């Protein structure tokens, strides 16, 4: 950090720009550590479990993740927006959001367990799902992470995540060394959530104050629910067409095929770091620009989209060309069926960049109430195409459908929703001429 301060002074950056640069630095560090450790642990566990057991584990995680989306209630983006605006006391915003998440989390844990018992023929799979379901409530403390993001203090979030990562790696490697069964590895993933939530709480108590100051406000809860409900529907649709493919692969083809598809998805998650990191870092800047001057906001948002889409596209091309060696040198020869999937699905990163940057603009402009239409389209496209083509073409169909559904939801749908047509125009400009702004990050941060 001392080096960053000296560099900022040398570049004559203002206090605001220094804060943004530090926030970006910590966002990058945190995501790199999380992704690198996740890939490392994923490789170790995948080699230890083998394709079938590894596929079952990812099937369980995807199953619960679908329900967790509803428990989050679409609050994250709204919480960050409200805390960035600072029109209400942050204790009120955090406390109300936390209360909503805990209550909805308890409800959805019960639903996960009941539905898995009714729908899964394998009782062992139902047991794993029930265990992992407890991570839903544990993740309610993400409200603390959202607060630090809103005030552009990612440092405290990242330090908590790094500690969680180091301890989590040690626990999982120990389980592998003692030849623990899959059940205990699933428990270790739940324990990751406990570690992370504890770190968030410690950071909050150290840097902000006591959680006893949090206040749940029923009237404000209704406001948050009303604001976030469109995003709840949207998030549900997004997660369904982002995760339903693994569930459908497991049910239509095999759990082993889920393992191959999950390996490709591991590398794609690293690619998605680019648009997600940019979106989280730039959103507070866009909010302030939008409230100050719409013309300035329009320029910054276009530059933001251009850079995000083309950086993701270039990174996807590199990963696609190197797919064989990436899989062989990491997960091993037994996972080579994942190579062809990765070569295609790498380009999902560009489609996600196109969609996520537009999503950040929709929240900034308060247009999220129509978002369920675009993501509902992506959900329908994903389910229908997978249902039609998975039995015939296998997991390669799922890779192609993943890109098509993202393009349908995050781009084509905007052309048919009147309130979003200006976003569609910006997206088209980004695809056609966005490469010109690959070096425009400094201009986006200018106030």
């Amino acid at each position: 950090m001392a080096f960053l301060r000296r560099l900022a002074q040398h570049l004559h950056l203002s206090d605001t720009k220094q804060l943004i640069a530090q926030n970006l630095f910590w966002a990058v560090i945190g995501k790199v550590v999380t992704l690198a450790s996740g890939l490392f642990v994923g490789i170790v566990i995948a080699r230890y479990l083998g394709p079938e057991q590894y596929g079952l584990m990812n099937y369980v995680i995807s199953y619960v993740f679908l329900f967790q989306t509803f428990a989050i209630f679409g609050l994250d983006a709204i919480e960050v927006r409200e805390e960035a605006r600072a029109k209400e006391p942050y204790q009120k915003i955090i406390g109300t959001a936390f209360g909503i998440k805990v209550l909805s989390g308890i409800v959805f844990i019960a639903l996960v367990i009941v539905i898995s018992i009714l729908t899964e023929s394998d009782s062992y799979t139902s047991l794993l799902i029930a265990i992992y379901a407890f991570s839903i409530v544990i993740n309610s403390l993400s409200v603390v992470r959202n607060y630090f993001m809103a005030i552009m203090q990612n440092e405290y979030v990242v330090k908590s995540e790094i500690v969680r990562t180091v301890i989590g790696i040690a626990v999982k490697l120990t389980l592998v060394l003692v030849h623990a069964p899959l059940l205990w590895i699933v428990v270790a993933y739940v324990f990751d959530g406990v570690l992370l939530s504890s770190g968030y709480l410690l950071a909050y108590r150290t840097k902000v104050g006591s959680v006893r100051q949090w206040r749940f406000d029923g009237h404000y809860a209704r406001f948050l629910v009303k604001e976030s409900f469109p995003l709840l529907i949207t998030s549900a649709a997004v997660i369904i067409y982002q995760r339903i493919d693994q569930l459908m692969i497991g049910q239509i083809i095999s759990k082993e095929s889920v393992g191959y598809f999950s390996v490709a998805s591991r590398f794609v998650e690293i690619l998605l770091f680019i648009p997600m990191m940019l979106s989280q870092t730039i959103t507070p800047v866009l909010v302030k620009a939008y409230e100050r001057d719409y013309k300035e906001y329009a320029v910054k948002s276009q530059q933001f989209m251009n850079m995000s889409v083309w950086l993701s596209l270039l990174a996807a091309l590199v990963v696609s060309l190197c797919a064989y060696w990436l899989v062989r040198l990491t997960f091993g020869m037994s996972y080579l069926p994942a190579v062809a999937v990765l070569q295609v699905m790498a380009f999902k990163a560009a489609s996600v960049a196109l969609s996520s940057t537009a999503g950040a603009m929709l929240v900034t402009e308060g247009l999220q109430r129509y978002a369920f239409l675009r993501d509902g389209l992506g959900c329908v496209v994903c389910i229908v195409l997978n249902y039609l083509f998975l039995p015939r073409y296998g997991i390669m169909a799922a890779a192609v459908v993943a890109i098509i559904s993202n393009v349908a939801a995050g781009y084509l749908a905007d052309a048919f929703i009147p309130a979003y047509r200006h976003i569609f125009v910006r997206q088209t400009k980004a695809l056609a001429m966005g490469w010109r702004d690959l070096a425009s990050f400094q201009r986006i941060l200018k106030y």
Side-chain angles (χ1 to χ4, degrees), residues 20 28 45 60 64 109 121 125 152 159 207-208 210 279 301 306 323 325 329 349 382 388-389 420 423:
I20 294 172
V28 172
I45 292 177
V60 167
V64 174
I109 285 178
S121 57
T125 300
M152 291 190 287
K159 288 179 178 178
K207 301 297 180 180
V208 183
S210 173
S279 179
S301 60
N306 294 348
W325 294 107
L329 295 175
C382 179
L388 292 175
F389 297 113
Y420 293 173
I423 300 290

Side-chain angles (χ1 to χ4, degrees), residues 68-260:
Q68 184 174 327
T69 303
F70 290 94
I72 292 173
F73 222 84
L75 282 171
D76 286 348
I78 299 301
E79 182 192 347
V80 171
R81 186 194 71 186
E82 292 302 306
E83 288 166 347
R85 289 176 173 175
K87 293 181 179 180
E88 296 285 347
Y90 68 87
Q91 298 94 336
K92 177 180 175 180
I93 300 174
I94 299 176
T96 304
F98 178 70
I100 294 172
K101 286 188 176 183
V102 169
L103 291 174
S104 61
I106 293 172
V107 171
F108 280 99
I109 285 178
L111 283 176
V112 168
I113 295 173
V114 171
I115 293 175
S116 67
I117 292 174
L118 294 176
T119 59
E120 294 294 331
S121 57
D122 181 8
S123 59
Y124 183 63
T125 300
S126 297
L127 174 61
L128 296 179
I129 290 173
I131 292 172
Y132 191 70
F134 284 93
S135 62
I136 296 177
V137 167
I138 294 169
N139 288 332
S140 298
L141 283 166
S142 61
V143 294
V144 176
R145 177 201 63 201
N146 296 335
Y147 172 71
F148 282 123
M149 286 173 54
I151 62 174
M152 291 190 287
Q153 294 290 343
N154 273 355
E155 174 184 355
Y156 310 120
V157 173
V158 172
K159 288 179 178 178
S160 299
E161 291 175 347
I162 290 175
V163 172
R164 181 282 308 265
T165 297
V166 172
I167 298 175
I169 289 175
V171 170
K172 294 183 187 71
L173 291 181
T174 301
L175 291 175
V176 171
L177 290 174
V178 300
H179 302 288
L182 175 59
L183 184 147
W184 285 106
I185 293 177
V186 171
V187 171
Y189 276 98
V190 177
F191 183 61
D192 278 349
V194 175
L195 289 172
L196 187 57
S197 295
S198 301
Y200 287 157
L201 279 178
L202 181 61
Y204 184 88
R205 292 180 61 184
T206 303
K207 301 297 180 180
V208 183
S210 173
V211 297
R212 294 181 179 179
Q213 296 175 346
W214 292 0
R215 295 185 288 109
F216 181 86
D217 186 292
H219 178 75
Y220 193 67
R222 288 191 290 273
F223 167 77
L224 289 181
V225 169
K226 181 181 178 181
E227 288 290 300
S228 63
F229 185 75
L231 290 181
L232 167 63
I233 304 300
T234 299
S235 298
V238 170
I239 295 303
I240 286 174
Y241 74 75
Q242 297 288 356
R243 290 279 186 166
I244 198 70
D245 43 17
Q246 295 192 32
L247 296 184
M248 295 182 74
I249 290 170
Q251 294 175 353
I252 295 176
I253 307 177
S254 67
K255 299 296 190 298
E256 183 179 2
S257 296
V258 177
Y260 300 136

Side-chain angles (χ1 to χ4, degrees), residues 174-400:
T174 301
L175 291 175
V176 171
L177 290 174
V178 300
H179 302 288
L182 175 59
L183 184 147
W184 285 106
I185 293 177
V186 171
V187 171
Y189 276 98
V190 177
F191 183 61
D192 278 349
V194 175
L195 289 172
L196 187 57
S197 295
S198 301
Y200 287 157
L201 279 178
L202 181 61
Y204 184 88
R205 292 180 61 184
T206 303
K207 301 297 180 180
V208 183
S210 173
V211 297
R212 294 181 179 179
Q213 296 175 346
W214 292 0
R215 295 185 288 109
F216 181 86
D217 186 292
H219 178 75
Y220 193 67
R222 288 191 290 273
F223 167 77
L224 289 181
V225 169
K226 181 181 178 181
E227 288 290 300
S228 63
F229 185 75
L231 290 181
L232 167 63
I233 304 300
T234 299
S235 298
V238 170
I239 295 303
I240 286 174
Y241 74 75
Q242 297 288 356
R243 290 279 186 166
I244 198 70
D245 43 17
Q246 295 192 32
L247 296 184
M248 295 182 74
I249 290 170
Q251 294 175 353
I252 295 176
I253 307 177
S254 67
K255 299 296 190 298
E256 183 179 2
S257 296
V258 177
Y260 300 136
F261 192 84
S262 298
V263 165
S265 297
R266 279 286 182 183
F267 291 104
V268 174
E269 286 174 3
I270 296 176
L271 284 174
L272 298 185
F273 157 69
I274 297 173
M276 296 304 178
M277 180 271 295
L278 290 175
S279 179
Q280 290 180 2
T281 302
I282 298 299
T283 295
V285 177
L286 295 182
V287 170
K288 294 182 183 299
Y290 181 74
E291 293 181 344
R292 182 173 57 249
D293 183 1
Y294 183 82
K295 290 183 179 180
E296 177 189 357
Y297 161 76
V299 172
K300 290 182 182 295
S301 60
Q302 184 68 66
Q303 293 171 343
F304 162 48
M305 181 177 287
N306 294 348
M307 182 174 59
S308 181
V309 170
W310 279 88
L311 283 175
S312 299
L313 187 60
L314 292 175
L317 179 61
V318 172
V319 170
S320 182
L321 293 174
C322 301
Y324 174 80
W325 294 107
L326 286 173
V327 174
R328 180 178 177 179
L329 295 175
T330 55
F331 288 87
M333 296 293 290
S334 60
Y335 287 94
L336 284 183
V339 171
V341 178
L342 178 57
Q343 288 174 327
V344 172
M345 204 162 67
F347 292 94
K348 177 182 175 181
S351 64
V352 169
L354 200 64
S355 177
S356 64
T357 51
M361 295 175 197
L362 297 181
V363 173
T364 300
E365 297 176 26
L367 297 174
Q368 66 272 12
R369 58 187 177 278
Y370 304 114
F372 74 94
L373 295 173
R374 68 202 294 265
D375 295 306
L377 174 63
C379 182
V380 171
V381 169
C382 179
I383 293 175
V384 171
L385 293 184
N386 272 315
Y387 179 79
L388 292 175
F389 297 113
L390 264 180
R392 184 173 180 180
Y393 298 105
I395 54 177
M396 282 301 299
V400 175

